[in-house]
Amino acid sequence: DGFSADKLFNQGFSYTYDDVIFLPHYIDFPVESVNLNTKLTRNISLSLPCVSSPMDTVTEASMAVGMASLGGIGIVHYNNSPSEQASMIKSAKSHRIPFCSDLVFKSPSDSILSDSDFSSSPFVLVTESGTSKSKLVGVVSKSVWGNLTDKESRVSDYMVKSPISAPSVLEFEDVVEYMVQKEVDNVTLLQEDGKVVNFVTSEDVERIRGYPKLGLPSLGSDGNYLVGAAMGTREQDKERLEHLVKAGANVIVLDSSQGNSIYQIEMIKYIKRTYPELDVIGGNVVTQYQAQNLIQAGVDGLRVGMGSGSICTTQEVCAVGRGQATAVYKVASVADHSGVPVIADGGISNSGHIVKALTLGASTVMMGGFLAGSNEAPGSYEYKDGRRLKKYRGMGSLEAMTKGSDARYLGDKAKLKIAQGVVGAVADKGSVLKFVPYTMQAVKQGLQDLGASSVQSAHDLLRSRTLRLEVRTGAAQVEGGVHGLVNG
Ligand code: XMP
């Protein structure tokens, strides 16, 4: 009944996730026993197959903390200076609890009414210099601040002096216990050198406790969150690499829309020579030929996808790419022989797409648009027509390229800039700490329907031709979605 993947994907068509559907198999285990442990690269394991994309509207410190605390990993983008990227990595790695507060700093002599960005945070932290770099001397709450009208008021007149603080190495439950012990409803977390890392309120504690519990967080051998970093393949990226390594990046993603290039192959070899312990993910690729070249060069992971992202226009602009289901299946077939895990990058808009990606051979999925509306994504929410939205833009959009991301499209030396992506917005989704666990529970149910109790077992069932699939006609796709309802 149905087709093996081998047969289905060798007929001259380029299929994407929505084109194909799996036939259900046999269930002989409960959904709780589906295990999502997987590999990001040859040497890095994760307890969830989720990776956040290195895009400037998706992954900075807060997303990296959220993803690692869930058991996935965030790849910090590089549309910034090397030191900015390094400080995002350091910041993410200095957290032990699953979120980053929005920290606003002031110095004691600052005027209270001078700052409008204060509204984003319920508290202002007062340090000697008014930056995160100097010693904490006080805290002012927004409720005090909001009632003041006197322009002469100084922060020092209203701050609570010597606020309660705790070491940033404490785990979440230890922080909570400390707050109970000290009978306080907020606490500042400090590094050994006195630098402020985070600020926790009793509302944060309630919020975090309300989220579903998942597997183990992703920790490196140093006990800190695993954090990845993206970079390009130009000569000056070697200097960026030094910053990333010093900041403690656990894995490097060489970011290119067409990864099978002499530039990338030379950079892979350079990194493996210079930092033999550091895992390198190459890509993007969509064909077996591209994949083989990068595997030969020594990559530890392969990122798959070209033009399938929600903000991508590469296939239209350059006439190059591949349907994402075909790309994942084809690349995974060769990567698996070499023990190189595959990251299915782009085109994920529901849990079913994740089940398909993982079953077709990917070990993890990389997501941009799916995560961009979360609290953890950079930027603040905007309102449009009564809806709460966050900006999401392609790294090949003119707007992002103006900031420097054109190297990804090898267009940095070109005089005429051609966009391969668009700028848009996505709906507010709340915290990744809430919606990712729900999504992953749905993925477990999908794998259970296929009789696969793990990602590896899904791969094995597909390769052994036990799992069968078919192409859906246009009408079958309509039937597979919600249809026939009268709206409102
Ligand atoms: P999703 O579907 O998760 O896709 O939003 C995210 C992935 O899309 C890629 N990306 C781009 N591709 N033009 C492109 O053709 C762009 O401007 C662009 N920006 C990001 C990237 O692989 C990302 O992970």
Side-chain angles (χ1 to χ4, degrees):
D1 207 359
F3 289 85
S4 66
D6 185 22
K7 190 147 186 205
L8 193 96
F9 289 111
N10 280 307
Q11 301 181 52
F13 292 100
S14 195
Y15 293 125
T16 192
Y17 297 133
D18 281 338
D19 290 320
V20 296
I21 193 79
F22 283 102
L23 305 186
H25 190 43
Y26 178 67
I27 301 175
D28 56 359
F29 51 82
V31 71
E32 296 79 55
S33 44
V34 178
N35 179 341
L36 294 178
N37 283 351
T38 190
K39 285 203 135 184
L40 173 74
T41 58
R42 284 184 201 272
N43 303 301
I44 299 179
S45 296
L46 301 175
S47 63
L48 271 198
C50 298
V51 185
S52 69
S53 178
M55 298 173 73
D56 59 7
T57 48
V58 180
T59 312
E60 293 188 343
S62 182
M63 181 66 78
V65 166
M67 295 308 287
S69 71
L70 288 164
I73 190 168
I75 313 293
V76 175
H77 75 88
Y78 67 115
N79 208 11
N80 46 23
S81 70
S83 59
E84 280 166 344
Q85 189 185 13
S87 80
M88 288 172 191
I89 294 166
K90 273 195 227 146
S91 160
K93 292 188 76 71
S94 65
H95 285 74
R96 285 281 167 92
I97 64 171
F99 67 95
C100 288
S101 283
D102 211 357
L103 302 177
V104 178
F105 292 97
K106 286 275 178 192
S107 87
S109 58
D110 278 340
S111 155
I112 275 223
L113 296 171
S114 64
D115 202 345
S116 54
D117 70 9
F118 169 59
S119 58
S120 64
S121 169
F123 287 89
V124 166
L125 300 168
V126 190
T127 61
E128 280 162 359
S129 65
T131 72
S132 66
K133 294 201 172 71
S134 60
K135 209 172 147 251
L136 181 76
V137 290
V139 171
V140 194
S141 116
K142 185 178 181 178
S143 52
V144 173
W145 199 286
N147 296 330
L148 294 172
T149 48
D150 178 5
K151 287 199 169 67
E152 299 304 306
S153 304
R154 298 288 133 193
V155 167
S156 54
D157 302 334
Y158 292 93
M159 70 186 188
V160 174
K161 292 192 181 109
S162 319
I164 296 288
S165 62
S168 61
V169 292
L170 293 186
E171 304 288 336
F172 180 66
E173 286 307 330
D174 298 332
V175 174
V176 177
E177 206 182 295
Y178 188 79
M179 288 168 76
V180 172
Q181 213 182 66
K182 296 278 174 189
E183 298 180 348
V184 288
D185 60 8
N186 62 65
V187 61
T188 313
L189 301 183
L190 303 179
Q191 250 170 220
E192 247 174 44
D193 60 5
K195 189 171 177 279
V196 177
V197 171
N198 215 344
F199 185 75
V200 185
T201 65
S202 41
E203 285 87 56
D204 292 325
V205 171
E206 286 304 304
R207 188 171 56 86
I208 300 295
R209 287 212 162 141
Y211 295 145
K213 287 260 171 312
L214 263 188
L216 295 172
S218 307
L219 301 177
S221 50
D222 53 2
N224 296 328
Y225 283 146
L226 285 183
V227 180
M231 57 174 264
T233 54
R234 295 170 296 183
E235 200 46 38
Q236 67 258 42
D237 284 300
K238 291 182 179 167
E239 196 191 317
R240 181 180 285 270
L241 177 65
E242 272 180 45
H243 281 83
L244 302 178
V245 171
K246 273 201 204 113
N250 298 91
V251 58
I252 297 294
V253 173
L254 293 179
D255 187 45
S256 171
S257 58
Q258 208 292 48
N260 186 25
S261 68
I262 187 165
Y263 317 111
Q264 183 156 140
I265 288 173
E266 282 176 358
M267 188 58 91
I268 294 164
K269 290 184 178 160
Y270 170 81
I271 299 177
K272 295 308 291 181
R273 218 172 37 238
T274 321
Y275 304 102
E277 304 288 303
L278 186 62
D279 273 16
V280 181
I281 295 170
N284 280 22
V285 295
V286 290
T287 71
Q288 300 187 331
Y289 165 68
Q290 288 181 299
Q292 253 144 1
N293 272 349
L294 300 192
I295 291 171
Q296 254 171 30
V299 284
D300 303 293
L302 277 172
R303 191 172 160 207
V304 175
M306 190 176 196
S308 55
S310 57
I311 32 51
C312 296
T313 54
T314 296
Q315 292 189 8
E316 280 165 19
V317 174
C318 299
V320 191
R322 200 168 207 180
Q324 187 66 347
T326 305
V328 170
Y329 174 72
K330 290 285 186 181
V331 172
S333 313
V334 294
D336 188 54
H337 288 144
S338 315
V340 174
V342 159
I343 303 167
D345 172 26
I348 299 291
S349 46
N350 55 44
S351 54
H353 292 159
I354 302 178
V355 175
K356 287 174 182 173
L358 296 176
T359 307
L360 290 172
S363 295
T364 53
V365 293
M366 179 178 275
M367 298 170 286
F370 197 75
L371 303 172
S374 67
N375 301 347
E376 288 79 2
S380 41
Y381 289 103
E382 301 156 12
Y383 290 87
K384 196 160 182 232
D385 302 329
R387 295 180 69 201
R388 205 163 180 252
L389 307 171
K390 238 186 206 192
K391 181 172 186 164
Y392 179 47
R393 68 180 183 197
M395 296 311 290
S397 62
L398 282 181
E399 197 185 276
M401 286 199 292
T402 312
K403 264 200 85 192
S405 67
D406 43 0
R408 178 171 206 269
Y409 301 88
L410 300 179
D412 51 324
K413 293 191 187 71
K415 286 211 181 80
L416 303 178
K417 302 262 180 254
I418 303 298
Q420 290 187 41
V422 297
V423 180
V426 289
D428 175 11
K429 287 181 102 171
S431 173
V432 294
L433 301 180
K434 182 164 185 186
F435 74 81
V436 170
Y438 278 98
T439 308
M440 288 300 123
Q441 184 63 21
V443 168
K444 285 185 178 180
Q445 290 187 0
L447 290 178
Q448 186 198 30
D449 284 340
L450 296 173
S453 57
S454 67
V455 176
Q456 186 57 51
S457 120
H459 293 177
D460 295 342
L461 289 169
L462 190 86
R463 299 263 148 72
S464 64
R465 302 192 171 99
T466 313
L467 282 187
R468 317 294 288 182
L469 61 169
E470 279 170 355
V471 170
R472 296 198 291 183
T473 61
Q477 287 183 45
V478 171
E479 187 186 64
V482 176
H483 60 278
L485 298 181
V486 179
N487 226 343

